[in-house]
Amino acid sequence: MPTRAQIAPILTGILLLGWFFHPVDTPPPFELEENDLRLDASRLKIGQRTFERWLGWVDPYGQLQDAVVMNAEALEISLKGEARFTAQWVQGEPPSKEPENAGSLTGLRILLDPGHYGGAWSEHESRHVQRDGELPIREGNLTYATAELAAEALTRAGATVYLTREAPPTTPFESHIPPPALLEREAAIWLGNNGHRSDTRLLMKGYPMWIADRLLRYKRDAKVRDSAAHLFTLGDLRQRSALATACDAHALISIHYNGAKRPEVNHVMAFVPGHFMEGELISPASRRLALDALMSGRLPVSARLGKNLVDALQDEMGLTTIDEAKRGRSYPLPGYRGVFARNLAVLRRTRVPVVLAEGPFMSHPAEYDKILDLETGRPGIRSEEYARAILRAVKESAWDLKRFREQQGAESGREACPIDPWPAEVPTKEPSYTR
């Protein structure tokens, strides 16, 4: 029979173990991004031939082999930890004849994304070019000015246009305090997306348990503490992409200008979703996004919009495009010269037809006085040419975008668009400066 002196440490040990391992009643410190994505048989809108063609461009390293089974009649999807489903291929039908008003923009909703922020943030973003004694070129200012001009032109032509952000910031990035809730949520999603790591997965499976809860919160909070700027960028891109669905856009066009270490490089190009590199299709969310893009049929529509935009940029600017990708991060799409598949955040997360366009190179000496009015600092002729190219590409793609949207059908539960459309009557004002 144990003595009282012996019982006391035993009871203390039991109490400590209970305190150490007792369940917690707070929400988990991780967030599973894939919970926001619906993927079922109704998402399949294309035939087998199109799916197989794009599967090779989206997943060149075969990372989805364990999730996809195809035969002549149907597509079978099996995601780990979920019930598999089977979807019947859409049988090939001759394309419907374009109506006489195919280029009409009435009823079309376009979301323009001025890439980067520019202004007082341009140096922080490393999107800042300056020659000795001359005004700086800030990419975020150029993209915003271009988006303004394109929004005005598209609105006059009958479209409803939204911009994903406001004018360039006037205070330095270092004085910017990102919303704590945004940083914490992005860190929680980062933690959930890294659940495939054995150490993190063990803790996530052990949740809710005091030790798992404590260690996971430590991981999340350390990410917030060490990577606030990166998390802000991730959250900002996530919010921009989500606007496409919230505002029921027919397409998102992300506007960028390019740059290179070699000053002689100068061309135009466009990116669409795809070409996941090795290791980029590990998380459940990335796999769902890739499969959703394939099944919905928005990738071919994005590629056609991208081709129309590259062609228009070449004609407007007198520049050429390229045939081969650099450093293997992107893949040139056969039949869509100047259009490349690449796994970029705004492309991967946007669930409508989407194109990221790269305009002329800010680093090319001959572009300086075309991109920038060297006396006033106002955007130069390139912004006007870029805006005209966007208008032309949207007109040439209007029927394609409307037909795609009709094939998708309405989605229930969509939140109201949180931003106002570009006004039909724009007050007279000075254009955005690049100072």
Side-chain angles (χ1 to χ4, degrees), residues 38-46 75-77 83-90 295-296:
R38 294 188 305 171
L39 193 62
D40 54 39
S42 67
R43 295 297 294 170
L44 186 61
K45 308 292 184 181
I46 57 175
L75 167 71
E76 185 178 283
I77 299 293
R84 66 180 60 189
F85 64 83
T86 301
Q88 301 299 314
W89 298 115
V90 173
M295 293 174 65
S296 70

Side-chain angles (χ1 to χ4, degrees), residues 17-28:
L17 285 173
W19 172 78
F20 195 75
F21 288 108
H22 83 281
V24 295
D25 57 3
T26 56

Side-chain angles (χ1 to χ4, degrees), residues 114-122 125 127 138-144 164-169 173 176 232-233 236-237 239-240:
H116 305 285
Y117 273 90
W121 291 14
S122 65
E125 295 177 313
R127 310 302 297 178
R138 309 178 193 271
E139 183 180 1
N141 293 52
L142 289 174
T143 60
Y144 190 78
T164 61
R165 70 168 175 87
E166 297 180 345
F173 181 84
H176 171 65
F232 169 77
T233 300
D236 182 62
L237 290 172
Q239 291 174 343
R240 291 185 186 197

Side-chain angles (χ1 to χ4, degrees), residues 57-58 60-61 273-277 280 328-331 341-343:
W57 297 344
V58 168
Y61 299 97
H275 200 66
F276 284 78
M277 303 295 288
E280 292 181 345
R329 299 295 300 178
S330 56
Y331 176 78
R342 187 171 181 183
N343 180 28

Side-chain angles (χ1 to χ4, degrees), residues 375-421:
E375 293 184 0
T376 66
R378 297 176 182 176
I381 191 65
R382 287 307 197 203
S383 293
E384 298 176 16
E385 295 168 344
Y386 207 142
R388 289 199 297 268
I390 291 173
L391 175 62
R392 174 179 143 185
V394 172
K395 283 185 174 181
E396 292 175 350
S397 305
W399 173 241
D400 203 14
L401 295 172
K402 290 178 181 178
R403 183 174 54 182
F404 170 81
R405 183 67 188 83
E406 290 173 358
Q407 291 170 344
Q408 300 304 300
E411 292 186 20
S412 60
R414 178 178 288 116
E415 298 179 2
C417 181
I419 52 177
D420 295 325

